[in-house]
Amino acid sequence: MIINSRNRRLRTTPALRALVQETVLTTHDFVMPIFVMEGSQKQEPISAMPGIFRRSIDLTVQECRELFSLGIKGVNLYMKVSEDLKDNTGKEAWNKNGLMQNTIKAIKDAVPEMVIMPDVALDPYSMYGHDGIINNGKIDNDATNEALVKMSVSLAEAGADIMAPSDMMDGRVAAIRQGLEENGFTDVGILSYAAKYASSFYGPFRTALDSAPKENQDVPKDKKTYQMDFHNSREALDEVLKDVAEGADIIMIKPGMPYLDIVSKVRDMIDLPIAVYNVSGEYAMLKAAAQNGWLDNDKAIIESLTCIKRAGADMIFTYAAKEAAILLNN
């Protein structure tokens, strides 16, 4: 029997496979999430995420220099805020001399071309561990939006390039855009966490920042009233379209690999750049399996990140960014 079409013909050698490769992963695809803490010359390992640390500003700057030299052009910043600075208003988030603001200034001074995307949400600053202000036992959407605008303007004044609101409040993209415009920050972008799910894959991250909801009978026990239900996909498309209409420049889908169907659907629907967050739980699972010898760490990292890009991501927020960049450069 003659087989006219044999797909295997284009898989016979490494050179042929390279010529027909559809998705190419590069260091420019990565954004590195970074955890910052108070102090000087301090570095603390995050036990659930091997190879990831909380660092003081000086060591964070040193890390950013190295990341940029590897070809990673963007960082996503998170603060480990002292307990005595936390309250229900989140006001430390717009302190001009706050940890986030000082970190942004230091990175910009040392690596001016690095794209700085600070997290915009109140959970690291909240005494309750929630992304929003709590009134009468519920998350107050509109009061939270007002706080997020103050935070965004403060971070723009410090030198941030792109706001990354991860809070999932309704209408916050429009509010932040208006606040930035009114204060002259017309060139500062918004990367909206448009479809952020209430996921069990965030556990290691919340440990890193102590940002899990606190056990308190007067506050919601979880974040399901504002983060999305993982059973839903059509709702995600609606969330994305609303954020696009409100002025988002980049759309985020979070988590990553368990939600690649959402990434693909959004890619077919919009032309804006799409960011995908390869979250802490995904990273931790891969590392745990590799440490037990159940899979090849290097191959699994490159394969998983390539799959995210193949699904439609233009940029990938990943704790494996530095490791993957070293692998790709070699």
Side-chain angles (χ1 to χ4, degrees), residues 4-271:
N4 292 324
S5 178
R6 293 180 184 267
N7 289 352
R8 289 181 55 198
R9 291 181 187 131
L10 300 182
R11 303 175 194 150
T12 54
T13 68
L16 260 176
R17 293 193 294 273
L19 284 170
V20 299
Q21 189 175 92
E22 299 173 23
T23 305
V24 179
L25 192 68
T26 78
T27 60
H28 296 173
D29 295 322
F30 305 143
V31 175
M32 182 72 182
I34 291 180
F35 300 111
V36 185
M37 60 185 291
E38 295 282 5
S40 176
Q41 290 294 304
K42 287 187 176 181
Q43 178 170 284
E44 295 177 353
I46 299 170
S47 60
M49 291 190 282
I52 304 300
F53 302 87
R54 287 183 291 264
R55 295 182 176 90
S56 53
I57 293 178
D58 49 352
L59 297 185
T60 297
V61 168
Q62 183 177 314
E63 179 73 359
C64 286
R65 285 196 178 101
E66 186 174 355
L67 291 171
F68 199 82
S69 71
L70 290 169
I72 297 169
K73 307 299 185 183
V75 290
N76 178 219
L77 302 180
Y78 298 89
M79 303 296 113
K80 178 69 169 66
V81 179
S82 301
E83 289 297 320
D84 61 327
L85 296 176
K86 297 181 180 183
D87 63 11
N88 188 35
T89 71
K91 64 180 182 296
E92 179 64 18
W94 55 90
N95 177 359
K96 291 186 177 182
N97 293 310
L99 182 59
M100 177 77 89
Q101 288 79 356
N102 288 335
T103 300
I104 293 169
K105 293 171 188 175
I107 295 172
K108 274 298 177 187
D109 285 345
V111 195
E113 294 182 45
M114 179 68 83
V115 179
I116 301 177
M117 308 180 190
D119 181 61
V120 177
L122 300 185
D123 50 332
Y125 307 90
S126 168
M127 60 192 291
Y128 299 121
H130 273 286
D131 292 49
I133 295 169
I134 294 176
N135 283 325
N136 299 318
K138 297 180 180 179
I139 305 298
D140 189 327
N141 188 97
D142 297 356
T144 299
N145 283 348
E146 292 176 8
L148 296 176
V149 171
K150 293 177 185 177
M151 182 180 185
S152 296
V153 171
S154 177
L155 300 182
E157 290 173 345
D161 300 286
I162 296 176
M163 297 303 134
S166 62
D167 57 285
M168 287 297 287
M169 298 298 119
D170 292 330
R172 92 277 205 213
V173 172
I176 293 171
R177 184 72 268 159
Q178 181 178 348
L180 292 172
E181 295 290 316
E182 289 176 349
N183 285 275
F185 297 109
T186 57
D187 290 336
V188 173
I190 298 176
L191 184 152
S192 167
Y193 287 60
K196 180 180 179 180
Y197 284 83
S199 172
S200 59
F201 288 91
Y202 302 150
F205 173 92
R206 290 177 180 170
T207 299
L209 290 184
D210 189 26
S211 62
K214 301 297 187 265
E215 292 290 338
N216 189 312
Q217 63 180 1
D218 297 324
V219 302
K221 65 178 181 177
D222 54 39
K223 303 189 178 187
K224 292 181 180 179
T225 63
Y226 47 100
Q227 294 179 358
M228 280 190 55
D229 184 343
F230 66 82
H231 299 88
N232 297 350
S233 62
R234 294 193 303 273
E235 183 185 9
L237 306 186
D238 181 57
E239 289 277 9
V240 167
L241 291 176
K242 285 177 178 173
D243 283 6
V244 170
E246 289 180 20
D249 301 286
I250 304 168
I251 292 297
M252 169 74 85
I253 312 297
K254 182 179 181 180
M257 290 192 70
Y259 293 82
L260 294 187
D261 60 318
I262 307 300
V263 177
S264 181
K265 288 178 180 179
V266 172
R267 177 73 289 160
D268 289 341
M269 187 177 68
I270 68 170
D271 294 324

